[in-house]
């Protein structure tokens, strides 16, 4: 990979505490000219599925060579590994817990390295804040041109790629899925990938069901939940000028069932 000009940060740290600033400060102390972009710091605490979706839905819009530093890490301080991976011209620094599973389903990483070389970690390390003490300095050294091979030995991820549910037409077919993300507007994003014309569906979320479909927000009836094909190509549930998650009691990792009428 070429020298990194851009580092993108994805965490569940929020912005109330010092965590994000400490990560950025560590990076800048080593690589002061690097460009940093915040993908999100509002991932629900320890929610790997949501982080994996946010990463997958945005990474390909960045310039090739971008390094994504993803710290949603419920296993911090344990025996879980930290991985450096390369795929489709991008690089990723992640815990080995599934954050890369949707990206890997697009294309298998061409190289994965088990990050072990403590030379590139902070000398003083906490068991609870590897984002600052390991991820940040390693990312900074990579940005300065450190060859990734110096981080450790090549390996493979413990987590298999995960594909979205490809919905095939046929009356009576049913698919079981889940809610991956609820965005700022209350739109409920599922892991169903129905193709370009997903009309004729019934979506069950808990005890609630949605049968209407609209191609646009403007074309939907106000106040009534409807399905829409989101910008990521996945099936979403929305309410025009409203909050679908609040109305339907939608929540992350909620089970969803899609039936073709």
């Amino acid at each position: 990979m070429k020298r990194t000009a851009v580092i993108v940060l994805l965490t569940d740290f929020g912005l109330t505490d010092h965590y994000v600033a400490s990560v950025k400060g560590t990076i800048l102390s080593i690589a002061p000219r690097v460009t940093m972009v915040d993908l999100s710091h509002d991932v629900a605490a320890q929610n790997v599925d949501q982080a994996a979706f946010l990463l997958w839905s945005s990474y390909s819009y960045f310039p090739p060579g971008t390094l994504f530093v993803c710290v949603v890490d419920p296993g911090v301080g344990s025996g879980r590994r930290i991985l450096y991976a390369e795929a489709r011209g991008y690089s990723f620094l992640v815990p080995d817990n599934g954050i890369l599973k949707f990206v890997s389903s697009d294309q298998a990483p061409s190289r994965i390295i088990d990050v072990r070389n403590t030379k590139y970690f902070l000398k003083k390390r906490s068991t609870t804040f590897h984002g600052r003490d390991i991820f940040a300095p390693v990312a900074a050294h990579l940005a300065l041109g450190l060859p990734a091979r110096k981080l450790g030995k090549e390996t493979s991820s413990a987590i298999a790629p995960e594909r979205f549910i490809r919905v095939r037409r046929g009356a009576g077919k049913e698919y079981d899925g889940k809610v991956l993300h609820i965005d700022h507007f209350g739109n409920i994003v599922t892991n169903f990938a129905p193709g370009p014309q997903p009309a004729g569906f019934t979506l069950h979320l808990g005890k609630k069901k949605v049968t209407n479909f609209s191609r646009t927000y403007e074309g939907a009836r106000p106040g009534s939940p409807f399905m829409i094909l989101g910008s990521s190509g996945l099936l979403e549930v929305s309410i025009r000028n409203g909050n679908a998650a609040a109305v339907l009691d939608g929540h992350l990792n909620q089970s969803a069932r899609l039936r073709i009428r």
Side-chain angles (χ1 to χ4, degrees), residues 29-78:
S29 295
I30 299 169
R33 295 184 180 180
V34 74
T35 297
M36 281 186 281
V37 177
D38 298 303
L39 196 164
S40 178
H41 298 295
D42 287 326
V43 175
Q46 295 92 48
N47 198 302
V48 173
D49 276 357
Q50 186 185 28
F53 164 75
L54 292 172
L55 177 63
W56 168 82
S57 63
S58 58
Y59 82 97
S60 62
Y61 295 96
F62 284 87
T66 296
L67 171 63
F68 294 84
V69 180
C70 308
V71 193
V72 178
D73 193 13
V76 62
S78 70

Side-chain angles (χ1 to χ4, degrees), residues 58-102:
S58 58
Y59 82 97
S60 62
Y61 295 96
F62 284 87
T66 296
L67 171 63
F68 294 84
V69 180
C70 308
V71 193
V72 178
D73 193 13
V76 62
S78 70
R80 69 88 183 87
R81 299 180 301 168
I82 295 173
L83 303 180
Y84 167 86
E86 296 174 357
R88 297 187 66 183
Y90 301 95
S91 54
F92 306 86
L93 194 61
V94 299
D96 189 13
N97 62 8
I99 289 179
L100 269 183
K101 62 185 179 180
F102 297 139

